[in-house]
Amino acid sequence: IPVVAREDLTDVIYEKSIGEGIAKITINRPERRNAFRPRTVQELSWCFSDAREDPDVGVVVLTGAGSLAFCSGGDQSVRGQGGYVGADGIARLNVLDLQIQIRRLPKPVVAMVAGYAVGGGHILHMVCDLTIAADNAVFGQTGPKVGSFDAGYGSTHMARLVGQKKAREMWFLARLYDAQEAHRMGLVNTVVPLDKLEEETLVWCREMLRNSPTALRVLKAALNAAEDGQAGIQELGGNATLLFYQSEEGNEGRQAYMEKRPPNFSKFKRLP
Ligand code: 1HA
């Protein structure tokens, strides 16, 4: 597949397949098991924003460079008081905003996981819509061992995925789980041999790309809404407005305002 890539990113590789509708975002710090620092998260955010804004992109894949890790969470070597410290000397927890960005992106986001998805890296795969795991993948939360926790989606969304007992086990014991166990727990969609990971991920992406983008968009918003309270309803509601703006009835109101006449909604049926 021909790709366009952005060259000035240091911590992330961004590729878009021309004509195929797939954007691929790769965390590229393999020497640290793809741990993220503030810059990594800023770059990821830029990539996700581009993938959202680009109407040719229909599915986004998030992965890690190499086969040893998807992402090992926050880079502990730059952790300071109040967060992870970037080049500007300021401590941040900006990955929390990235989690929201992934959930809010109105297109499917697929985590393609080889090796470790642990700590904040495990949460990133959980907030993706689907996870395709290689048979060497390892999942878990390490926070309680290294003096950290994610009491947001990292806890509440996990409990929705695996149930309350398993979520408490994952967090309180901070054990690691292999790919098959993760599959049994409902943490991942499928497990494939490592050398088939990309191929299988593409099969899933292409299958989604053949389906109605609006259906997928509204379904993602609906599944989010059940968990996200008012923010979720706002996201789902935005989709209703988007569709209404495309309708004759919605347009009659705008047209009438612009023509300085009263709107005529009488021809629009009140459906049962
Ligand atoms: O909880 C949060 C947050 C909560 C709220 C809001 C924001 C949050 C943001 C982040 C986080 C967190 O992510 S906390 C959890 C942080 N992550 C970890 O505790 C995982 C630490 N790493 C490991 O447990 C292991 O490295 C590993 C299971 C992923 C892989 O083990 P392996 O294959 O034996 O490799 P290892 O030798 O340990 O690692 C290779 C190199 O990568 C090491 O460096 P080297 O000795 O070669 O110089 C290792 O230090 C480095 N590395 C791996 N993970 C990290 C890391 N360096 C910094 N930070 C890491 N996370």
Side-chain angles (χ1 to χ4, degrees):
I1 313 159
V3 294
V4 286
R6 239 186 94 102
E7 306 297 348
D8 53 340
L9 301 166
T10 60
D11 291 16
V12 168
I13 301 165
Y14 185 51
E15 298 159 288
K16 287 195 276 190
S17 60
I18 298 167
E20 225 210 346
I22 301 171
K24 183 181 173 196
I25 303 171
T26 307
I27 305 172
N28 190 26
R29 304 186 77 220
E31 69 289 349
R32 301 230 167 190
R33 298 292 184 270
N34 297 320
F36 53 78
R37 53 180 175 172
R39 183 186 173 112
T40 321
V41 175
Q42 277 155 3
E43 291 188 7
L44 286 169
S45 179
W46 183 90
C47 296
F48 276 107
S49 173
D50 180 273
R52 177 180 182 142
E53 300 297 328
D54 185 342
D56 292 334
V57 172
V59 176
V60 187
V61 175
L62 176 64
T63 193
S67 57
L68 296 180
F70 169 76
C71 174
S72 64
D75 187 329
Q76 298 304 298
S77 70
V78 300
R79 185 172 145 190
Q81 283 184 332
Y84 297 83
V85 181
D88 57 5
I90 295 170
R92 289 192 167 78
L93 296 172
N94 55 349
V95 77
L96 299 176
D97 297 309
L98 181 68
Q99 295 168 10
I100 302 268
Q101 194 182 0
I102 293 171
R103 275 181 79 82
R104 278 273 172 141
L105 206 150
K107 304 168 184 180
V109 181
V110 181
M112 182 169 84
V113 177
Y116 290 101
V118 300
H122 186 254
I123 297 158
L124 283 181
H125 106 82
M126 285 197 297
V127 298
C128 290
D129 298 294
L130 301 174
T131 298
I132 313 296
D135 52 9
N136 78 333
V138 178
F139 300 87
Q141 297 303 152
T142 58
K145 288 188 197 286
V146 298
S148 183
F149 55 82
D150 183 333
Y153 284 121
S155 302
T156 58
H157 185 53
M158 180 198 282
R160 301 246 180 171
L161 289 175
V162 302
Q164 283 283 346
K165 295 281 181 186
K166 267 288 173 193
R168 284 160 208 245
E169 173 189 317
M170 282 194 88
W171 272 109
F172 294 176
L173 282 74
R175 285 184 185 165
L176 299 179
Y177 301 81
D178 67 23
Q180 289 302 344
E181 179 66 13
H183 192 224
R184 275 194 293 276
M185 286 159 64
L187 269 176
V188 308
N189 296 87
T190 190
V191 180
V192 296
L194 176 60
D195 63 351
K196 294 274 183 296
L197 179 62
E198 184 127 18
E199 192 183 318
E200 184 67 13
T201 304
L202 281 176
V203 168
W204 286 58
C205 290
R206 287 174 180 146
E207 220 169 307
M208 287 189 284
L209 285 165
R210 284 196 290 275
N211 291 335
S212 151
T214 305
L216 270 52
R217 178 190 178 105
V218 178
L219 285 165
K220 176 165 178 169
L223 292 162
N224 285 350
E227 280 184 53
D228 289 353
Q230 289 210 60
I233 292 169
Q234 191 230 27
E235 184 189 352
L236 189 57
N239 284 291
T241 308
L242 182 152
L243 292 170
F244 190 51
Y245 272 27
Q246 295 175 50
S247 74
E248 209 190 323
E249 182 180 344
N251 205 42
E252 164 59 16
R254 185 197 71 89
Q255 199 86 27
Y257 175 79
M258 292 308 292
E259 292 168 7
K260 302 189 190 304
R261 61 169 171 84
N264 176 12
F265 291 114
S266 61
K267 62 178 162 176
F268 301 107
K269 290 195 175 67
R270 293 181 174 83
L271 297 174

